[in-house]
Amino acid sequence: MNDVQTQDDLYKIVNDFYKKLFADDRINYIFTKVIPVHENLEEHLQTLVKFWSQAILGTGGYFNNLTQMHLDVDTKSHLTKELFEIWLTHFEAAINENFEGFNCERMKNMAHNLSSIMQIKIAKNQS
């Protein structure tokens, strides 16, 4: 298997990732009811490709406030530690099933770091 090298590679990962999220009843309500990204999935996937492309490939172009978006979702439906664990499991599977290498490991490490940071910020926002 090859390492992640292009935006097309990133698209493959995020597309497979969202298929897994939508198929999982433990978490899919976040993406269908709380923030119905399924209504405009292609735009959402392109946003995620920009995020990961900036983070992994250094392309730039992502300007959204990732923290605020998750805080906003949390006010609608609490994002629990378990939900973050499900998210990470599916994200890692989407990477591992398609790619391997340095950039893949960077993506997985970054996802774990982002999960921890978001959980800390959510907890602070609730107190």
Side-chain angles (χ1 to χ4, degrees), residues 16 44 51 83:
D16 287 0
H44 186 67
F51 172 80
L83 288 171

Side-chain angles (χ1 to χ4, degrees), residues 16-83:
D16 287 0
F17 171 54
Y18 267 78
K19 286 178 184 174
K20 293 174 185 312
L21 291 174
F22 288 136
D24 189 330
D25 291 337
R26 299 170 300 164
I27 196 170
N28 64 10
Y29 69 95
I30 295 291
F31 304 97
T32 59
K33 292 184 173 73
V34 179
I35 50 162
V37 298
H38 69 290
E39 294 174 357
N40 200 355
L41 183 58
E42 189 57 35
E43 182 179 317
H44 186 67
L45 294 178
Q46 292 300 328
T47 299
L48 292 173
V49 168
K50 281 182 189 171
F51 172 80
W52 287 108
S53 183
Q54 178 170 298
I56 300 301
L57 305 177
T59 57
Y62 182 83
F63 302 105
N64 295 344
N65 184 332
L66 187 64
T67 300
Q68 191 58 54
M69 289 186 323
H70 285 84
L71 291 174
D72 292 347
V73 172
D74 184 69
T75 62
K76 296 176 183 177
S77 182
H78 180 53
L79 298 176
T80 64
K81 180 179 190 223
E82 292 74 24
L83 288 171

Side-chain angles (χ1 to χ4, degrees), residues 96-107:
N96 292 337
E97 290 167 8
N98 296 288
F99 300 95
E100 65 182 4
F102 180 75
N103 285 339
C104 296
E105 295 308 312
R106 286 179 57 212
M107 285 181 76

